Amino acid sequence: MADPRTHRPRLWSSAATVGVLLLAVLLVPPLVQLDEQAVDLSRKLLPPSWEHPFGTDDLGRDLLLRCVYGLRISLLVGLVAALVATVVGTAVGAAAGALGGWTDRTLMRLVDAFSSVPHLLLGIFVVALFRPGVWPVIASVAVTHWLSTARIVRSEVLSLRTRPFVDAAVSGGATRWRVAVRHLLPAVLPQAGLAAVLMVPHAMWHESALSFLGLGLPSHQASLGNLVQNARSSLFPGLLLILPTLAIAGLAGVWRDRLNPRRRSELTL
């Protein structure tokens, strides 16, 4: 087992980055009484300065303020989509592993069917059914990202079914439903939670890809995907997409190593 002290630099740097970003998206909009969509053509395409640390875009809007608003929207999409996908994936995986038989075969064939279609293509199909907005993007990401969680939870449940405490519960007269709810599901929740954390940056990138292609959020609404598409000459929107990805991955890596040090490669981005 690795020395816990080796995780401390990664843990503290990742936690500090996540904390700063969360404070920015929570405090900057109410404290800075500025309209992030205010157009001032006399200030368009200004370089970074003290007044505009990230510069301005082609409509004279402050890029730092728009990046903060965009990060807030992208984090919202990532968190909600990851939560929905994790709940769906956990339910499907737990049912398949606990019930077995035809239920397991049917649910796993459903997972295989969804997996046969590339995530981005399936996401494009989902958002094309609705008007551009936050909730269609969340639905698109959630529909395409529950598959890995279902497989992980199913494999954990299949492993737990061979444990002595499960045999003891069955011998005591517990039904499959009671064994699944009282014994198997609580045991797989840490793995499901870890999968949800790792899914957040993945969902943010998915939203950014859809918005970059013009299929996600409306072009006037600030999101990291729209900002990357509209400000291709600036590195800052892309930087605010990479930073939370690395920070969340660092926190999830520490969690994964403490959860199961012998299988560190089980969950990766």
Side-chain angles (χ1 to χ4, degrees):
M1 184 180 298
D3 187 348
R5 290 175 296 181
T6 61
H7 297 311
R8 289 179 182 175
R10 179 173 57 168
L11 174 62
W12 286 110
S13 60
S14 299
T17 302
V18 171
V20 169
L21 294 176
L22 287 177
L23 287 176
V25 299
L26 292 175
L27 298 181
V28 169
L31 293 179
V32 179
Q33 299 298 321
L34 295 175
D35 184 4
E36 51 92 15
Q37 296 188 15
V39 175
D40 186 357
L41 295 179
S42 65
R43 294 176 173 268
K44 66 178 183 179
L45 299 177
L46 292 178
S49 62
W50 286 110
E51 185 178 2
H52 303 287
F54 285 7
T56 60
D57 62 8
D58 57 348
L59 294 178
R61 297 172 294 190
D62 184 81
L63 195 54
L64 174 58
L65 189 60
R66 285 182 61 77
C67 283
V68 171
Y69 275 88
L71 180 61
R72 183 170 65 168
I73 294 296
S74 295
L75 280 174
L76 172 65
V77 171
L79 290 171
V80 176
L83 178 61
V84 173
T86 301
V87 171
V88 174
T90 301
V92 171
L99 299 179
W102 67 269
T103 303
D104 184 20
R105 292 191 295 270
T106 301
L107 291 177
M108 286 301 100
R109 295 299 78 76
L110 178 64
V111 171
D112 293 338
F114 273 90
S115 299
S116 65
V117 183
H119 285 180
L120 187 57
L121 291 181
L122 184 58
I124 290 174
F125 173 77
V126 173
V127 296
L129 300 176
F130 307 94
R131 292 183 178 181
V134 173
W135 294 110
V137 174
I138 291 176
S140 169
V141 177
V143 165
T144 57
H145 286 71
W146 61 273
L147 308 172
S148 60
T149 304
R151 288 196 177 100
I152 291 168
V153 171
R154 175 181 177 269
S155 65
E156 287 294 319
V157 170
L158 290 176
S159 175
L160 290 169
R161 283 176 58 181
T162 62
R163 302 289 178 85
F165 71 90
V166 175
D167 292 336
V170 174
S171 300
T175 62
R176 286 187 176 184
W177 175 256
R178 182 175 180 84
V179 170
V181 174
R182 294 292 301 272
H183 300 285
L184 298 180
L185 188 58
V188 301
L189 285 181
Q191 292 285 0
L194 179 56
V197 172
L198 286 168
M199 204 180 301
V200 172
H202 195 177
M204 292 174 61
W205 281 89
H206 198 91
E207 176 276 321
S208 298
L210 291 174
S211 298
F212 183 84
L213 295 174
L215 301 170
L217 299 178
S219 58
H220 68 274
Q221 187 171 6
S223 74
L224 294 181
N226 284 336
L227 291 174
V228 171
Q229 201 278 337
N230 295 328
R232 299 182 185 180
S233 60
S234 176
L235 298 176
F236 296 114
L239 181 63
L240 285 184
L241 186 59
I242 293 173
L243 279 179
T245 299
L246 296 177
I248 294 173
L251 291 176
V254 175
W255 184 2
R256 179 192 61 209
D257 292 345
R258 292 184 176 181
L259 186 66
N260 198 342
R262 295 183 179 181
R263 296 192 301 185
R264 297 178 181 177
S265 61
E266 181 175 326
L267 288 175
T268 56
L269 275 174

